[in-house]
Amino acid sequence: MTILELKFDKKIYSTKVRPLWCPGCGDFAMFKALKEALYELQLDPKQTILVAGIGCSSKMSDAVGVYGLHNIHGRAIPSATGIKMANHNLNVIVYGGDGDMLGIGGNHFTHACRRNMDLTLIIPNNHTYGLTTGQTSPTSDIGYKTKTSPKGSFDRPVNPVFAAISAGATFVAKVSSADNKHMGKVMTAAIAHKGMSVVVIDQFCITWNRINTPDYYADKYFDVQETDHDLSNFEDSLLLANMTGDRIPFGIIYHTEKVKSFEENYSQLQGKSNVERRSRQLIDVSDMLDSYI
Ligand SMILES: Cc1ncc(C[n+]2csc(CCOP(=O)(O)OP(=O)(O)O)c2C)c(N)n1
């Protein structure tokens, strides 16, 4: 793209709000990467919405210069689903932590993946509940000591990449908040994908999580894009996603265009969106409202 073809300046993707994040938090890097992706795709801020849950990371919806909906905890996905049903022409990005998306919102996560709706779900996974001061989350490692697990967590952690692929998402990637450029590139590809895309970010929480630090991952990551892995192979992608321990896959892990999206399957979502159709037949509800007074 040449400069002349660019319709939206980088600045447009920021608001004046700077959320209260700890100095050095991975949220800053994710903010930068997300803005890069929006700019790269030249998404119209008036046709784009960021639907966030509740958590440190979810404050992102205040900072990014597109429409935003700061939701209740665990319910960002159903709200985003409703928005997409009402206006499938919008670019809908869902954003929320591991607690939000895999704990209280875990049910919605599974069903959104299975539907393959054209949503992008970004999960900053800091393996802890950051905002509420560091309790055990569904992705916490075994042995992680917190106020809610003083002797160390003994529940087996959810593997979000494995869970997303097995539930039916059609683009699934794992990135790191320590690698800004890579994160931006993968977010760009995820947003451009037609269907459910899930980007799981290993995010570093410098205040509450002293286990999952950049050093912890440094020797373990290997770049999937540097291997001969066939991204469209479901079984191989699951095997790759299941790798934890000393070797952890990093990059796009599964990608297929072969599965129809929810919007393509749903006859009412062909052509005009529901909001465009509705506007032609406004219904006067004043009598009904008066009857409640
Ligand atoms: C229904 C409900 N239950 C619990 C809470 C308390 N709460 C707020 S944020 C949060 C977890 C945040 O963790 P996560 O989603 O991983 O995001 P992070 O803060 O780590 O970015 C919890 C339990 C709430 N706000 N609403």
Side-chain angles (χ1 to χ4, degrees):
M1 222 174 325
T2 66
I3 302 262
L4 286 176
E5 285 171 297
L6 295 175
K7 204 168 153 202
F8 300 107
D9 190 79
K10 253 185 198 168
K11 286 191 206 130
I12 204 164
Y13 299 110
S14 299
T15 67
K16 286 186 182 140
V17 180
R18 284 296 161 271
L20 202 60
W21 288 322
C22 303
C25 174
D27 283 320
F28 291 103
M30 295 182 303
F31 175 43
K32 192 162 179 245
L34 183 56
K35 283 190 298 178
E36 278 299 325
L38 297 171
Y39 173 73
E40 189 62 34
L41 293 165
Q42 286 289 293
L43 293 194
D44 182 346
K46 292 190 176 151
Q47 292 296 312
T48 306
I49 180 161
L50 190 69
V51 187
I54 298 291
C56 298
S57 48
S58 288
K59 294 178 192 171
M60 194 64 79
S61 61
D62 300 336
V64 179
V66 298
Y67 280 112
L69 179 63
H70 202 163
N71 230 278
I72 54 173
H73 193 39
R75 301 294 178 259
I77 292 177
S79 304
T81 302
I83 292 167
K84 196 74 183 178
M85 288 289 282
N87 187 354
H88 62 273
N89 297 321
L90 293 180
N91 310 300
V92 185
I93 301 168
V94 196
Y95 203 95
D98 39 299
D100 215 309
M101 297 300 166
L102 303 159
I104 189 169
N107 160 35
H108 302 299
F109 167 82
T110 304
H111 293 288
C113 292
R114 159 177 97 80
R115 283 193 193 111
N116 196 30
M117 192 172 250
D118 188 21
L119 300 172
T120 298
L121 170 59
I122 299 176
I123 310 179
N125 179 13
N126 55 10
H127 308 249
T128 191
Y129 289 173
L131 187 73
T132 45
T133 66
Q135 295 82 5
T136 309
S137 98
T139 58
S140 297
D141 282 7
I142 292 177
Y144 180 54
K145 284 190 181 163
T146 70
K147 288 165 235 170
T148 51
S149 57
K151 293 190 175 167
S153 172
F154 48 79
D155 290 334
R156 280 182 299 158
V158 173
N159 175 338
V161 174
F162 189 90
I165 301 172
S166 54
T170 45
F171 179 108
V172 184
K174 155 88 81 89
V175 297
S176 158
S177 70
D179 191 340
N180 216 289
K181 248 190 174 162
H182 180 257
M183 207 169 22
K185 255 172 71 182
V186 173
M187 283 183 187
T188 306
I191 298 170
H193 172 71
K194 179 99 189 121
M196 182 74 187
S197 51
V198 180
V199 180
V200 179
I201 305 170
D202 277 327
Q203 182 209 353
F204 307 114
C205 174
I206 54 148
T207 305
W208 302 110
N209 188 340
R210 300 296 162 95
I211 301 177
N212 307 97
T213 61
D215 285 348
Y216 171 90
Y217 289 104
D219 299 330
K220 299 185 170 76
Y221 278 144
F222 67 94
D223 188 340
V224 175
Q225 270 60 74
E226 284 175 9
T227 70
D228 58 4
H229 169 58
D230 172 6
L231 287 177
S232 65
N233 187 318
F234 179 75
E235 288 80 10
D236 282 357
S237 299
L238 276 177
L239 284 174
L240 205 56
N242 202 30
M243 286 177 77
T244 50
D246 284 346
R247 280 182 47 80
I248 301 177
F250 169 84
I252 303 169
I253 293 171
Y254 182 61
H255 184 192
T256 180
E257 298 285 347
K258 287 196 188 124
V259 185
K260 273 192 180 176
S261 70
F262 182 85
E263 294 81 353
E264 286 166 316
N265 278 320
Y266 206 96
S267 57
Q268 284 92 331
L269 297 183
Q270 306 309 311
K272 280 197 167 169
S273 68
N274 280 322
V275 278
E276 285 169 309
R277 283 191 204 140
R278 288 265 166 82
S279 59
R280 280 192 275 119
Q281 28 165 299
L282 293 176
I283 303 164
D284 186 355
V285 293
S286 41
D287 282 350
M288 185 188 81
L289 293 176
D290 285 347
S291 71
Y292 287 106
I293 297 169

